[in-house]
């Protein structure tokens, strides 16, 4: 009768185990690949690098000329009346025409101009080029190229941070998965103990207390398994966030862990300062500030510019009272010129900019020295932390061997009636704690190794 009460729990455990076996395993390499392809933070960092790449292009350098084209067209129609007060008709020889009836000179009549059309067209191309600007463009171009390198380093830092975030969640899912296996084994051992206690009670070999203790322990073990499964589901959702995948996507994770050779880690640590991304960024910022200073000094030198243009104009004027024919004026013009501009004194703004650029360069040098000390400290701390965690893992492995042997011996003695169920349960709990502590120590050691690899600039150069 007692076993029927636990049938739903056993069925649930069986179904969950089967579902785990049927799930596709997400390997560490596949997790890295999906993260690099889909993670939104990495996508943003790559876009920033692309922007910096565009900025360092010759199209943004100021070394190319500026060419401007203009064109225009104008249409005009006039209806006009021209009056000639005080003027008289002439006979062509300068003599006025006399009216035969009045004997007076004939006044010159008004002239009407109806639908007088005029068109004007023009086009012009102007090219301007700065031949020399005090080397400002040259150092600005070098600064933009270095800013691109800095953006690449920032993207690398984002990538490394994201990979660390990925494996902190990935290894947490792996740890919980192994803990579920341990808890299910504990549940199975307790179930066997309950069956044995029921048989012994039926034959009068033990009292009811042993059965009740086994029932309580079985319920606790069942709750532990349920809680750990729920924790795994939550952790897998966290992992899907990093992968930018469907939150409810289910998969198993690889629980295999290998550590890098100690001699190889020694080499990485020795070269860590040269490869550390923070140090590389500090050096890049130092170079950028130096180029900024050199560019600011260009204000003290003259600017030489060239300009050229080609233009075309067409004017068509309607006939008028003084020009009876259509007047057409077609003009083409071309010109070249050079300018020299020297800002002898700009009120002190240029001097101030140069002074501030020098101060910023000094500050960046001090910051670089500070970062160098911090990186040395971080590498030393990470190296010591990894070695310590690795030793803890080795000790926990030995502890599991000891706890396993202790539980096996205790189980044999319990069958012989030499110890109580309480003592057996304590040995079982000791084994459970040893196994879960070993799992925790294993993944803590691996994360510490990854942190050391990130600080030495080798995280993306080794197989995780």
């Amino acid at each position: 009768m007692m076993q029927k009460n636990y049938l739903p729990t056993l069925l649930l455990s069986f179904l969950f185990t089967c579902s785990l076996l049927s799930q596709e395993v997400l390997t560490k390499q596949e997790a890295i690949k999906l993260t690099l392809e889909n993670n939104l933070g990495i996508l943003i960092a790559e876009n920033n690098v692309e922007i910096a790449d565009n900025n360092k292009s010759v199209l943004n350098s100021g070394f190319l000329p500026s060419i401007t084209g203009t064109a225009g067209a104008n249409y005009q129609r006039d209806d006009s009346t021209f009056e000639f007060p005080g003027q008289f008709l002439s006979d062509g020889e300068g003599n006025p025409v006399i009216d035969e009836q009045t004997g007076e000179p004939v006044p010159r009549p008004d002239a009407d101009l109806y639908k007088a059309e005029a068109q004007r067209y023009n086009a012009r191309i102007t090219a301007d080029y700065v031949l020399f600007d005090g080397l400002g463009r040259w150092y600005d171009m070098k600064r933009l190229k270095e800013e691109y390198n800095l953006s690449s380093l920032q993207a690398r830092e984002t990538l490394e941070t994201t990979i660390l975030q990925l494996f902190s969640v990935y290894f947490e899912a792996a740890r919980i998965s192994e803990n579920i296996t341990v808890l299910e084994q504990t549940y199975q051992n307790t179930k066997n103990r309950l069956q044995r206690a029921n048989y012994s009670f039926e034959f009068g070999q033990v009292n009811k207390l042993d059965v009740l203790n086994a029932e309580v322990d079985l319920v606790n073990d069942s709750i532990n398994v349920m809680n750990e499964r729920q924790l795994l589901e939550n952790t897998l959702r966290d992992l899907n966030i990093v992968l930018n995948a469907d939150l409810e996507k289910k998969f198993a994770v690889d629980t295999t862990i290998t550590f890098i050779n100690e001699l190889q880690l020694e080499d990485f640590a020795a070269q860590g300062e040269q490869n550390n991304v923070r140090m590389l960024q500090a050096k890049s910022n130092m170079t950028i500030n130096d180029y900024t200073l050199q560019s600011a000094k260009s204000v003290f030198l003259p600017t030489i510019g060239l300009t050229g243009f080609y233009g075309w104009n067409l004017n068509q004027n309607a006939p008028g009272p003084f020009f009876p024919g259509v007047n057409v004026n077609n003009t083409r013009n071309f010109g070249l010129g050079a300018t020299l501009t020297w800002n002898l004194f700009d009120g002190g703004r240029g001097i101030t900019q140069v002074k501030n650029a020098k101060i910023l360069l000094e500050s960046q040098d001090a910051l670089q020295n500070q970062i160098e000390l911090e990186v040395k400290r971080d590498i030393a701390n990470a190296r010591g932390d990894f070695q310590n965690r690795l030793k803890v893992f080795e000790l926990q492995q030995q502890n599991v061997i000891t706890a396993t042997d202790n539980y096996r011996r205790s189980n044999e003695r319990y069958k012989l009636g030499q110890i109580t169920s309480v003592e057996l349960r304590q040995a079982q709990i000791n084994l459970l704690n040893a196994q879960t502590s070993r799992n925790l120590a294993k993944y803590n050691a691996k994360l510490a190794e990854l942190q050391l690899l990130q600080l030495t600039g080798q995280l993306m150069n080794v197989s995780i």
Side-chain angles (χ1 to χ4, degrees), residues 270-283:
Q271 303 174 11
E273 295 176 32
Q274 290 78 18
N275 298 322
N276 180 272
V277 69
R278 286 190 64 201
M279 279 297 303
L280 294 176
Q281 288 178 3
K283 293 178 180 178

Side-chain angles (χ1 to χ4, degrees), residues 15 26 36 43 84 120 124 135 140 142 170 184 198 264 272 278 308 349 384 387 389 398 408 421 431 447:
L15 292 177
L26 177 68
L36 296 179
L43 175 62
F84 305 96
R120 296 179 179 86
R124 183 185 180 95
L135 299 178
D140 286 341
K142 296 173 74 69
Y170 186 95
E184 287 178 341
N198 278 322
Q264 192 174 9
R278 286 190 64 201
R349 288 188 299 271
Q387 292 174 344
R389 291 188 180 188
Q398 184 60 43
R408 182 181 59 80
S421 61
L431 176 59
L447 281 176

Side-chain angles (χ1 to χ4, degrees), residues 39-50:
N39 184 267
L40 298 180
I42 293 178
L43 175 62
I44 294 173
E46 290 175 347
N47 287 342
N48 291 335
V49 173
E50 187 173 354

Side-chain angles (χ1 to χ4, degrees), residues 167-181:
F167 280 107
S168 66
V169 182
Y170 186 95
F171 288 150
E172 177 66 6
R175 183 186 70 84
I176 296 172
S177 298
E178 289 196 310
N179 284 353
I180 289 175
T181 302

Side-chain angles (χ1 to χ4, degrees), residues 47-62:
N47 287 342
N48 291 335
V49 173
E50 187 173 354
I51 291 174
D53 187 32
N54 293 334
N55 288 338
K56 75 179 181 66
S57 168
V58 68
L59 298 176
N60 191 47
S61 65

Side-chain angles (χ1 to χ4, degrees), residues 421-435:
S421 61
V422 175
E423 292 173 307
L424 177 62
R425 178 62 176 179
Q426 185 59 51
Q428 187 183 32
I429 292 176
N430 290 340
L431 176 59
L432 174 63
N433 291 337
Q435 290 173 322

Side-chain angles (χ1 to χ4, degrees), residues 103-247:
E104 298 290 333
V106 178
R108 184 175 179 178
D110 295 342
D112 293 327
L113 188 61
Y114 181 64
K115 292 185 178 179
E117 296 179 342
Q119 297 91 25
R120 296 179 179 86
Y121 305 96
N122 66 83
R124 183 185 180 95
I125 295 179
T126 303
D128 294 300
Y129 182 69
V130 177
L131 186 63
F132 178 75
D133 68 341
L135 299 178
R137 291 176 305 176
W138 173 260
Y139 287 109
D140 286 341
M141 185 69 174
K142 296 173 74 69
R143 174 179 55 82
L144 290 173
K145 289 182 178 180
E146 191 60 38
E147 286 179 354
Y148 168 75
N149 294 334
L150 178 61
S151 296
S152 300
L153 291 172
Q154 291 169 343
R156 171 187 155 185
E157 183 179 25
T158 300
L159 189 148
E160 292 177 350
T161 302
T162 304
I163 294 300
L164 278 179
Q165 179 188 8
L166 165 68
F167 280 107
S168 66
V169 182
Y170 186 95
F171 288 150
E172 177 66 6
R175 183 186 70 84
I176 296 172
S177 298
E178 289 196 310
N179 284 353
I180 289 175
T181 302
V182 172
L183 290 170
E184 287 178 341
Q185 183 61 47
T186 301
Y187 175 89
Q188 183 63 36
N189 291 336
T190 304
K191 184 177 72 72
N192 294 337
R193 192 182 108 213
L194 176 60
Q195 291 176 341
R196 189 163 53 247
N198 278 322
Y199 292 147
S200 299
F201 175 72
E202 291 177 1
F203 289 101
Q205 296 178 352
V206 297
N207 56 31
K208 187 65 174 178
L209 183 61
D210 279 357
V211 176
L212 295 176
N213 286 336
E215 289 178 353
V216 171
D217 293 339
L218 189 62
V219 170
N220 290 332
D221 292 343
S222 177
I223 292 173
N224 291 336
V225 172
M226 293 171 58
N227 289 338
E228 204 72 7
R229 289 172 184 167
Q230 182 59 49
L231 183 59
L232 177 60
E233 290 186 4
N234 296 343
T235 305
L236 289 178
R237 292 189 186 97
D238 293 337
L239 185 56
N240 283 325
I241 287 289
V242 180
L243 299 174
N244 192 26
D246 181 11
L247 289 179

